[in-house]
């Protein structure tokens, strides 16, 4: 039973199923399922444990996904999916008439599939309209439980819980959309990530690095720069790796900000002579092949970390403001998370005071990153002296922020 304060009683009532988990506990048979994830590359890849679990539990079901066109390669080729439908954000630039035509064609296609279940993994308003237009028997999202926004809540038959403890990974949180239907999902049965790479992408990757093998791939940038380490410490780390004889490849996206960052790092190098690929990977599948061929990935909390987890590439990932318990590499035993030795972490703010710069990232020490990297490169245990800044796949993180 949901308790409400007197003030809350004045709000529009939530749908009867809000926060209730299939109270009659009847068996749920899902036959035609649509999963929507309208976010970024890493978020889309993190739906694959849910997709894999569904395919195993309902082997004869039709399972489709709807994502942005730019992120589709995180799912294309996945054997657990029947179809990947996309929304192209470029539709907005085609003019109202052409955009409307594209939207209507997509809706017609989806409606013709007669889905009985919609799993909307975000609170994007498009899911609300899909639930109302497609009219599946079951539709699940997270609540926007704020008075005037109850129109959103009422669009769905079920609601997944918003409770997300700091140590609960987003892959488990996605599974809560099934738990909201009463589907039993033992935590130990949630599978790992899945990412497929076609042969042509592997050939393109090999060409980009001139056939180089056993390199350390460093991806310093992220979509949001408050997640990034400093250029100076990144350059120092690269020089130390080169001094140990490691071959290095640096990658980044094509944006001007990322180009400027990588160019500054390269200008600070004294020993390392890396292969530098700024926005040169023709596709995310090619980038995945680069990660798969690497002996180690070093990066920050961004999509490459999840891609490495899917491919079981050893990785060292630096965390600051974001919560590693939720976003660490999922099910990759050869992963290490590095944080700063300070006491201010995991605030989920876009920089200290929302300034775009996170001091907890700037304070991460080069020696800690090198210890984590060498632990994986040399297959040895991390010294006890680094246990407060370097964390393995099963370690719990500090709870302070």
């Amino acid at each position: 039973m949901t308790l409400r304060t007197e003030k809350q009683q004045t709000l529009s009532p939530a749908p009867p199923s809000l926060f209730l988990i299939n109270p009659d506990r009847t068996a749920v048979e899902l036959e035609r399922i649509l999963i929507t994830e309208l976010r970024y590359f890493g978020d889309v890849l993190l739906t694959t444990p849910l997709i894999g679990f569904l395919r195993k539990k309902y082997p004869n079901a039709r399972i489709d996904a709807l994502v942005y066109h730019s992120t589709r390669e995180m799912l294309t080729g996945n054997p657990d999916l029947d179809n990947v439908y996309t929304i192209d954000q470029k539709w907005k630039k085609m003019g109202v008439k052409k955009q409307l035509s594209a939207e209507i064609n997509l809706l017609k296609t989806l409606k013709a599939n007669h889905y009985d279940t919609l799993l909307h993994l975000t609170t994007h308003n498009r899911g609300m309209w899909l639930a109302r237009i497609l009219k599946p028997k079951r539709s699940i999202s997270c609540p926007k439980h704020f008075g005037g926004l109850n129109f959103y809540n009422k669009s769905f038959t079920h609601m997944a819980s918003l409770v997300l403890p700091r140590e609960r990974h987003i892959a488990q949180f996605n599974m809560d959309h099934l738990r909201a239907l009463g589907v039993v999902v033992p935590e130990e049965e949630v599978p790992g990530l899945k990412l497929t790479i076609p042969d042509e992408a592997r050939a393109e990757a090999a060409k980009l690095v001139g056939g180089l093998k056993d390199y350390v791939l460093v991806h310093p940038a992220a979509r949001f720069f408050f997640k990034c380490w400093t250029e100076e410490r990144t350059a120092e780390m690269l020089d130390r790796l080169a001094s140990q004889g490691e071959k290095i490849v640096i990658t980044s996206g094509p944006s001007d900000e990322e180009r400027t960052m990588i160019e500054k790092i390269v200008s600070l190098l004294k020993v390392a002579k890396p292969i530098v690929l700024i926005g040169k990977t023709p596709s995310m599948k090619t980038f995945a092949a680069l990660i798969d061929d690497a002996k180690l990935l070093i990066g920050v909390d961004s999509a490459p970390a999840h891609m490495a987890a899917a491919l079981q590439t050893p990785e060292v990932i630096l965390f600051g403001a974001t919560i590693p318990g939720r976003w660490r590499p999922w099910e990759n035993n050869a992963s290490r998370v590095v944080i700063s030795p300070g006491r201010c972490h995991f605030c989920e703010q876009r920089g200290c005071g929302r300034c775009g710069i996170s001091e907890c990232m700037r304070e991460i020490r080069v020696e800690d990153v090198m210890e984590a990297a060498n632990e994986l490169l040399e297959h040895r245990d991390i010294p006890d002296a680094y246990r407060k800044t370097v964390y393995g796949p099963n370690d719990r993180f500090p709870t302070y922020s």
Side-chain angles (χ1 to χ4, degrees):
M1 179 176 180
T2 300
L3 299 178
R4 297 188 182 188
T5 64
E6 183 177 349
K7 183 176 181 181
Q8 287 173 318
Q9 292 284 359
T10 65
L11 302 178
S12 300
S17 60
L18 188 62
F19 305 126
L20 298 181
I21 304 179
N22 193 22
D24 60 0
R25 296 297 187 204
T26 55
V28 179
E29 288 298 325
L30 311 182
E31 297 179 353
R32 306 179 74 82
I33 307 162
L34 178 63
I35 300 166
T36 62
E37 177 57 89
L38 302 175
R39 282 189 182 138
Y40 307 118
F41 292 104
D43 302 291
V44 173
L45 185 56
L46 284 164
T47 67
T48 56
L50 170 62
I51 294 166
F53 181 87
L54 282 168
R55 177 55 67 203
K56 183 177 180 180
K57 186 169 182 64
Y58 305 106
N60 298 319
R62 173 175 181 151
I63 306 173
D64 296 342
L66 176 65
V67 298
Y68 287 129
H69 189 74
S70 59
T71 65
R72 68 194 184 283
E73 288 183 293
M74 296 294 98
L75 297 181
T76 52
N78 189 318
D80 297 326
L81 280 171
D82 292 292
N83 296 282
V84 179
Y85 297 106
T86 66
I87 298 166
D88 197 334
Q89 291 165 303
K90 294 180 181 178
W91 288 351
K92 296 178 181 179
K93 300 178 181 179
M94 299 190 310
V96 175
K97 187 175 181 179
K98 289 184 178 180
Q99 180 186 0
L100 186 59
S101 176
E103 295 277 6
I104 291 173
N105 288 336
L106 173 63
L107 285 173
K108 285 181 177 178
T109 300
L110 297 178
K111 195 165 181 62
N113 292 336
H114 303 290
Y115 296 111
D116 59 46
T117 306
L118 170 65
L119 304 177
H120 184 52
L121 303 183
T122 71
T123 53
H124 193 293
N125 282 338
R126 187 180 288 269
M128 169 181 69
W129 295 113
L130 286 172
R132 289 181 176 269
I133 293 170
L134 301 182
K135 295 181 174 22
K137 182 179 180 181
R138 311 170 195 87
S139 53
I140 304 96
S141 180
C142 290
K144 284 185 178 180
H145 194 40
F146 309 104
L149 292 178
N150 273 347
F151 182 78
Y152 180 92
N153 293 350
K154 291 177 180 179
S155 302
F156 299 90
T157 63
H158 292 71
M159 285 282 148
S161 173
L162 275 177
V163 177
L164 185 58
R166 285 174 174 252
E167 289 295 325
R168 186 169 175 77
H169 199 278
I170 198 69
Q172 288 285 6
F173 177 70
N174 285 341
M175 304 302 294
D176 289 345
H177 290 71
L178 286 182
R179 295 181 176 111
L181 293 176
V183 177
V184 177
V185 185
E187 296 218 352
E188 65 274 10
E189 292 184 17
V190 179
L193 306 177
K194 186 174 291 185
L195 179 61
T196 62
I197 306 173
D199 291 341
E200 55 269 26
R202 294 189 182 279
E204 289 172 344
K207 191 181 299 183
L208 284 173
V209 296
L212 186 68
K213 297 287 186 182
D214 293 326
Y215 50 82
V216 175
L217 178 63
V218 179
H219 192 90
R223 179 183 297 272
F224 302 109
F225 269 62
F226 74 90
K227 296 181 177 183
C228 297
W229 205 19
T230 68
E231 292 92 341
E232 293 79 8
R233 295 192 180 190
T234 302
E236 182 181 344
M237 175 198 68
L238 292 171
D239 279 336
R240 289 199 191 185
L241 287 168
S243 297
Q244 294 179 182
E246 299 295 345
K247 297 167 285 189
I248 301 167
V249 176
I250 302 178
T251 56
S252 81
S255 71
D256 291 340
E257 293 85 356
E258 292 187 49
R259 177 178 294 276
T260 299
M261 179 187 194
I262 302 304
E263 288 176 347
K264 182 176 180 181
I265 291 171
V266 172
S267 72
L268 294 170
L269 295 176
K270 298 175 182 178
V271 179
K273 295 181 179 179
I275 295 174
V276 180
L277 303 175
I278 302 175
K280 290 186 178 180
T281 51
S283 70
M284 290 300 286
K285 295 290 192 184
T286 304
F287 185 37
L290 286 171
I291 294 173
D292 198 33
D293 285 341
K295 66 194 296 188
L296 177 69
L297 169 75
I298 301 177
V300 296
D301 176 23
S302 62
H306 305 304
M307 296 169 74
L311 300 166
Q312 293 295 290
T313 297
E315 56 184 319
V316 175
I317 305 300
L318 285 59
F319 271 84
T322 51
I323 299 174
R326 293 179 188 169
W327 299 104
R328 72 193 309 170
W330 176 251
E331 295 293 294
N332 186 359
N333 288 328
S335 65
R336 298 294 179 269
V337 167
V338 182
I339 65 174
S340 77
R343 288 193 56 82
C344 185
H345 308 88
F346 320 149
C347 64
E348 297 192 286
Q349 302 298 312
R350 294 190 178 187
C352 299
R354 296 184 179 273
C355 70
I357 299 174
S358 298
E359 288 301 322
C360 52
M361 285 298 297
R362 297 174 64 84
E363 292 172 359
I364 292 176
R365 300 178 301 202
V366 175
E367 54 264 37
D368 294 345
V369 179
M370 288 301 301
E371 281 295 337
N374 285 329
E375 180 193 7
L376 295 173
L377 290 169
E378 300 171 8
H379 307 288
R380 61 175 173 79
D381 292 331
I382 197 75
D384 289 339
Y386 294 91
R387 281 295 175 191
K388 292 185 178 180
T389 55
V390 179
Y391 293 80
N394 299 313
D395 294 334
R396 292 182 64 84
F397 297 95
T399 58
Y400 49 76
S401 62

